[in-house]
Amino acid sequence: MSRAKRLLLLTLALTPTATLTGQTLSGSSPRPWAANVVVPQCRSFGTSVPDTLQIAGVDVQVSIVEQAATTTMDIRLTNPTSRRLEAELLVPVPDGAAVRGFAFDGAASQPTAQLLPADEARRTYESIVAQIKDPALLEFVGCNLVRSSVFPVEAGGAQRVRLTYEHLLSADGDRVDYVLPRSEALGLATPWSVSVQLKSTRPISTLYSPSHPVDTRRNSDGSVTVNLLKTAATEPGPFRLSCLKGGNGVSASLMAYPDTQGDGGYFLLLAGLPDKPSTGDAQPMRREVTLVIDRSGSMSGEKIEQVKEAAKQIVSALTDGESFNIYIYNDGVQAFSPAAVVKSAGTVKLATAFIAAVTASGGTNIHDALLQALSQPATPDTVPLVLFMTDGLPTVGNTSEIAIRNVAMQSNPHQRRIFTFGVGYDVNAPLLQKISDETRAASSFVLPNEDVEVKVASVFKRLQGPVLTDARLEATTADHAKTVAVMDLIPNKLPDLFEGDQLVLLGRYLNAGAGLTFTLNGAFMGQPRTFSFTFPLEKATTRNAFIPRLWASRRIAQLVDDIRQMGADASASAYASAAAPSNAHAPALSSSSTMLASGAAHSVSPAAAPGVGGVTGDPKVKELVDEIVRLSTEFGVLTEYTAFLASEGTDLSKRDALLAEACGNLESRAVQTRAGAGAVNQAENYQAQVAQGCSNYSNRYWDANMNRVEITSVQQVCDRAFFNRSGRWIDSRLVDKADSAPPKRTVEFGSAEFSKLLERLATQNRSGCVSLRGDILLDVDGETVLIKGAADATAATPN
């Protein structure tokens, strides 16, 4: 029989600070630390013995009613040793939090959990950091802190600890923000599950997490449930969730980050649709759906059968009043009807028979298939969508990539949205991607062993109920001064928004002291509408460090694509004469998930990088590459083309060599590789990056062999990026002169001077910059400071 367990719950009221900390105001000694201190958002620390207690997992349940949030954390601990261990819990919590319950399995005399405000919490962090000689906890300076009483973990056993706290969420207009403090450190493997349930008397327009990928589900009772995706269980960083409440139109909210080196900053505009767009006479627009199916010989077998099944499902899934047409192509093109037909029992029956008769043979005439599908007459008062499928390169008719691309851009009189599907690797990935990008659509790639039917159906499901189409955005300063208010907006062409969609727009704002006004024009429920939003900027804060990093990631993707699309012009000698691709740029990796600690696997020595010629011979392209390298270095956002920046042997002060290597990578990969797995991986990386809406701390991407790669020698902390060189973390603002310019000041870890520096950084929301293990070279208000004496950065990360 299993040991009986008793769950002890204690509801706690906030008591004076001196009592909470176990330390009187007269300066008596604080309560000694237990042998193991468990910080679930970080790891377990041994205070007097080697680290032995392990955090098996953390499960978080959050209930948000209006602005009141209740967070319950279940921490699962294991003791792999043969002796009983004692531990206590330290939990960083948001400002204003109040403890409502603390419990653990088993019996204890008086389980308690005490709340320490931020100032007292900082002294507690410093106390334990001084004892364990590990700076990791300093990341949480600025947070309040809950410290529990000591509890046991039996030899070879497990323990479950539960903490519940409440706090009032901050609100900014119609947006409410929830933050769960967690470490940004890479390499922490504790799995987390997070589930949030939200209830509001006002309709919830959209939920957005800038930190982690989530799944959102609207419940029958009007509440909304948000779950952290299982694939992100070990992703680092604070868990952030924003709830935007709305009404009968488009709702919007603005988050901003001030550029401390200039007069402007970066912003994120979040826009959502009504919870129930179909109300009264207002209904989403009808769709006109055109299926364009490749039936060339390479589609024979399972692929053509899956496509045929997907086509039948799409036709059947159309609502009454919507219209459709079908084009099939190989060497030639054949249409189901000269123009789209309205869905009815009769037209569905005819279409099903037409689809069933399709067989695979012949070549691939992409040009003519696209031209005919776009030239057909438009169905009035509909949103025209094209689902274009191919599994091969163009082999018949006009096979020029530019000519085919121009069909979508210049021979599309009815502005049809072209959603492309590349089946397998033998497709021109940049061509399919560009066709979709230029028509407010998206491209998808069906990888080998994936089901075509499932992939196509999943995309079509997201195209239910067009709500806002042909959107255009204008931005001015709130005082309507005739000056440029924003720049570098991404996306620069707004997509259509369907039921359940949201818009995450990133950009830079200039000197806009009065705030920003955005005017959104478009067809809302089929009717012309204008929505205007004015946002002040006084709440811009460096806590929103995710905003400039997300913007930089998207901007890099845009710049890379600008270069990549130049490869379509085979007549341009700058690219036709480029050096042959080298294995040094895209090595074969045997594992399906590679941790790139140094970046060496993707590195080419500067001496081996291409010289002037090819891409590097075009001054315009060199400007693009220079900007890619600058943004990658400043923000610590790396791609397959710039992963070499993380290499231990890369000298980041040698600008010309860095540009030459980046040019070589872009030329051999982005420009010359148009088809195959090495092209599809670039398209997948581009799509993830250009629409990136949440953090990517480990710079994860697909390599040329479709293996997952992560970089661990670049760390994004607060609003800074750090590069590891020989155990020393170097602020990205200093990497170009780290070897030539000695630090102006050296601060010993744990000293009184260090404490003052920490306090200064905390006021700037940058205390995490001193939480890295190893020496740290840091830019502090223009002064180069070397912090010495922290734990070795090359040491293995303990649990």
Side-chain angles (χ1 to χ4, degrees), residues 757-792:
L757 176 62
L758 175 62
E759 188 171 358
R760 181 179 176 184
L761 292 171
T763 63
Q764 302 173 351
N765 301 311
R766 296 190 176 108
S767 60
C769 292
V770 297
S771 68
L772 300 170
R773 309 180 82 215
D775 290 351
I776 304 168
L777 194 65
L778 178 64
D779 181 302
V780 182
D781 299 329
E783 180 186 31
T784 301
V785 178
L786 175 62
I787 302 171
K788 291 187 66 67
D792 182 6

Side-chain angles (χ1 to χ4, degrees), residues 94-158:
D95 186 36
V99 178
R100 287 294 173 256
F102 172 65
F104 55 84
D105 292 340
S109 55
Q110 251 187 343
T112 59
Q114 302 169 327
L115 181 65
L116 283 64
D119 287 345
E120 193 65 37
R122 181 175 63 83
R123 289 190 286 272
T124 301
Y125 291 131
E126 290 186 76
S127 170
I128 190 170
V129 165
Q131 183 170 339
I132 63 177
K133 305 299 182 185
D134 189 321
L137 281 178
L138 298 179
E139 184 176 357
F140 300 106
V141 169
C143 292
N144 290 353
L145 182 67
V146 173
R147 182 181 182 184
S148 79
S149 56
V150 176
F151 54 86
V153 186
E154 300 298 335

Side-chain angles (χ1 to χ4, degrees), residues 150-196:
V150 176
F151 54 86
V153 186
E154 300 298 335
Q159 175 63 276
R160 182 174 66 92
V161 184
R162 170 173 290 183
L163 175 71
T164 300
Y165 65 87
E166 297 177 349
H167 73 293
L168 191 66
L169 303 183
S170 62
D172 188 348
D174 291 331
R175 192 189 80 247
V176 175
D177 299 323
Y178 173 86
V179 180
L180 175 64
R182 294 171 71 231
S183 174
E184 292 184 296
L186 298 174
L188 297 176
T190 300
W192 283 62
S193 70
V194 181
S195 182
V196 185

